[in-house]
Amino acid sequence: MLTEDEEKRIVEDTIKTKTRYDKLNKEQQQAVFHTEGPVLILAGAGSGKTRVLTHRIEYLIEEKKVAPWHILAITFTNKAAREMRERAENLAGDPVKDAWICTFHSACIRILKRCADRLGYDSRFTIYDPEDQKAVVRRLLKDVNLSDKMFTPKAILAEISRAKDELKSPSDYKTSVGAGDLFRQKVSLVYEAYQKNLIENNAMDFDDIINKTVELFRDNPDVLDYYQEKFTYIMVDEYQDTNTAQYMLIRLLSSKYRNLCVVGDDDQSIYRFRGANIRNILDFEKDFKDALVIRLEQNYRSTSKILEAANQVIRNNSQRKSKTLWTRNPEGDNITVHCEGSDNEEAAYVASTIQTMVENGQYHYKDIALLFRTNAQSRALEEKLVVSAIPYHLFGGIPFYQRKEVKDILCYLRLVANDHDYVAAQRIINVPARAIGDVTFEHLRAFAEEGGFGVGETCDMSQEIGELARSSKKLQVFGDLLTSWREKADTVPISKLIHSIIEDTGYSAYLMKDDPVKYEDRMDNLMELSDRADQYTSENEEATLDGFLDELSLVSAIDSWKEGDDTVALMTLHSAKGLEFPVVFMT
C-alpha cells in the first residue's frame, strides 16, 4: 500500500508531466514519448523539431530516469547546438550539462583526444584550416614537380575531401582511379603524401575529425564498445545533411542498443555539394526495418501564402517522402516577384525598398536578410547598400580567425601546443623578421621530419646540425621563446599568454611598421582574440590551450552573427538555413 504522501507525489508528478507536454501537438508528443528503438522524424520547416528534441531530452532524464551522460544529441552547427543545449537546460535543469549536445565534429574531437594514440597521434594534435591545407599541398606539388596552376590546391583538396567523406583511404582512392584519368592520378599521388605529412605534423584536417573517429571505432572494438555503452540514447538533427562518414559513425555508435532518433527533412537537403547523401534519410527504413516514422507537418513559422508556394515548388521533386506543410498562422502578404534588367538595377531596387521600409518605421535593418546563390553575387548589392548608407554584415568575407594578425598569433599558440606543427612554424618563424629565411626553415623541417623531432627541439640542438649551424643563435633564441611560452601555458590564463607572445616578439611594433593606417584596427582584433580566450576560460572549468584551439577550429562564419546588431544580413542561401527574418530578399 502506498502512503498518503507517496500517492500525493504520484498525482503531482502526473499533473506536472501532463502540463509539461500538453502544449505539444499530437505528432510532437509521439516523437517525444517514443524513446526505445529507431525513430525517423520527418520534420518540415518550422514544425518545431528543436522543441521536440529538447523535450525528448527532458523526458528521457525526468521521466525515463536515463542518466544524462548516456544521451548524445548531434547537430551540424555550433549555433544550433548552443540553442538546443540552452533550451534543454531550461527544461530539465543542471543534469543536462552532463549530456553531450554538440556538433559531429566537437563530439569526435572529444573522442579523438582521449584515444589519439590508437591512431598514431599525440593527444595535442592540431586541426588544420583550409589555408593550412593549401600550404601543405602547395609544398607537396613542388616536391613532385607539379604546377599549382594546372593542378590547383583548391581542386586537389576538394577531391581529397570527397574521398574522405566516402571513407576512402589513399590506397582505396588509388585503386578507384581509372587508367586515363590524369587529374585523379595526380590527386592520388598527392593524397598519399598529404596524409603522411599530416601525421608527421601531428595534425588532422576537418574531414579527418570524423573519418579518423570511424577508423578508431572500426579498428578498436574495445573503444567502440565503451562509447556504445556510454551513449545508449542517440539523437541526430538535420539527418538529411549527413555524408557517408557521418552515417557510418552513427551506425557504429547506435548498433548495440538501437535507440536512435534521427530528425530531418529530405525536402531541405541542399548540401550535396558538400558531400551530403540524401539516401541516408530516404533509406532509413531499409536500414532499420522496425523504425517508427513520424511526420511533423504543422508549421509554426510561416504564413499560409509562403507555405502554399513552397508546397507547390517542392512537390515537383521526384525523390522525396510525401508530406504537406500546413499552418494555423494568418494568410499573410503575397510573395513579391520583381524583375530588373541587370544586377545593378536589381541591387538599386533592393536598397531603395529597404530604405523605405526602415524610414517608414515598418522594420529595423536587423529584420532584413539578402540572400544569393554565391558570394560573388554580393558585389552589386554591397555597392548600393554603401551608397545608400545602409549598415550590413556580409557572411563569407574574410573570417575573423583568418585575418593576418589573428592567424599569426594563433599559429604561435598552435606551435606552443604542438611542437610538430611545421605549417604554423613556417608562417611565423620569421614574423616579425628574425633573419631566418626559407632555406634555413626547409633544412630545419627536413632534419626534424626525418628524425621525428619537433620544431623547438630542432632549434635547441641546431648548433650541432651542419645545415643549421650558421643560423643556430637565431634559432636557439626562437626555441627559448617557445620554451618560455610553454611554461606559461601551464600556469597563466590563455589571454596572458597571448599578451606575452605579442610583447616578447615585438609584434605590436611590427604591425605599426607594416601598416600604420590599419594599426589600431589590427591591434583591436588581437584584443578581441584575447577577450575570446577569457570568454572560453570563464565558460570552461578545465580550460586548456588545446581546448581553446580546438574550439576555434570549429567556428563557422555564421557563428559570428550577433542577433542584436542592427544591420542587414547578406549571406548565401546555404548559410541562411535555419535562420529566421521578417523580411527576406532572394536575389
Side-chain angles (χ1 to χ4, degrees), residues 214-406:
V214 172
E215 179 184 329
L216 174 71
F217 288 161
R218 282 177 165 174
D219 296 346
N220 299 272
D222 60 318
V223 176
L224 175 59
D225 183 69
Y226 172 85
Y227 283 101
Q228 287 175 332
E229 289 293 334
K230 178 174 178 60
F231 300 126
T232 53
Y233 291 87
I234 300 173
M235 286 163 268
V236 184
D237 193 13
E238 305 286 8
Y239 192 66
Q240 78 281 348
D241 293 333
T242 54
N243 60 31
T244 300
Q246 292 161 338
Y247 165 82
M248 186 53 64
L249 176 74
I250 295 302
R251 283 299 302 271
L252 288 167
L253 278 173
S254 64
S255 61
K256 188 168 189 176
Y257 290 100
R258 302 178 77 253
N259 296 324
L260 172 63
C261 171
V262 303
V263 183
D265 181 8
D266 50 305
D267 290 342
Q268 297 185 59
S269 180
I270 59 173
Y271 292 116
R272 184 178 177 183
F273 72 100
R274 291 185 190 170
N277 186 350
I278 196 172
R279 299 308 320 174
N280 293 345
I281 191 167
L282 293 178
D283 293 343
F284 187 82
E285 292 153 274
K286 293 181 182 177
D287 295 334
F288 299 92
K289 299 190 186 305
D290 57 336
L292 173 67
V293 179
I294 302 169
R295 286 174 167 79
L296 303 183
E297 296 176 304
Q298 183 177 356
N299 177 286
Y300 295 90
R301 177 189 302 160
S302 306
T303 63
S304 60
K305 288 277 189 182
I306 289 176
L307 287 186
E308 183 181 348
N311 286 332
Q312 290 292 336
V313 171
I314 202 66
R315 66 167 49 118
N316 293 302
N317 278 15
S318 58
Q319 292 187 341
R320 66 184 293 261
K321 291 180 179 291
S322 64
K323 69 190 80 69
T324 302
L325 297 184
W326 61 276
T327 186
R328 290 196 176 101
N329 290 339
E331 188 177 64
D333 298 331
N334 287 326
I335 296 172
T336 301
V337 179
H338 188 89
C339 297
E340 290 286 359
S342 69
D343 289 349
N344 287 330
E345 290 174 3
E346 178 186 54
Y349 165 77
V350 169
S352 173
T353 306
I354 291 174
Q355 202 70 287
T356 300
M357 286 178 167
V358 174
E359 288 175 357
N360 290 346
Q362 294 173 274
Y363 299 100
H364 297 285
Y365 289 121
K366 65 183 178 182
D367 297 328
I368 302 167
L370 307 186
L371 310 183
F372 34 81
R373 287 180 292 109
T374 66
N375 281 316
Q377 294 174 284
S378 71
R379 180 197 58 79
L381 290 166
E382 287 190 79
E383 288 179 359
K384 295 302 180 184
L385 293 178
V386 170
V387 169
S388 302
I390 296 174
Y392 69 91
H393 184 88
L394 173 67
F395 300 93
I398 298 176
F400 176 77
Y401 297 108
Q402 289 299 328
R403 294 173 186 172
K404 180 190 177 331
E405 62 278 7
V406 176

Side-chain angles (χ1 to χ4, degrees), residues 4 16 21 30 66 111 117 174 211 291 316 319 321 401 404 454 481 510 521 524 554:
E4 185 176 338
K16 183 180 177 183
Y21 302 107
Q30 186 182 20
V66 173
I111 294 169
D117 59 314
K174 186 175 183 179
N211 198 293
N316 293 302
Q319 292 187 341
K321 291 180 179 291
Y401 297 108
K404 180 190 177 331
L481 284 173
Y510 160 75
D521 286 343
D524 284 345
L554 300 179

Side-chain angles (χ1 to χ4, degrees), residues 412 428-436 474 477-478 481 485 505:
Y412 273 108
I428 49 84
I429 198 168
N430 201 40
V431 176
R434 299 183 179 88
I436 302 174
K474 301 159 193 167
V477 169
F478 184 69
L481 284 173
W485 294 330
T505 60

Side-chain angles (χ1 to χ4, degrees), residues 78 401 532 550-557 559-560:
N78 296 318
Y401 297 108
R532 180 66 186 83
D550 289 343
E551 187 167 297
L552 295 193
S553 72
L554 300 179
V555 171
S556 64
D559 291 326
S560 64

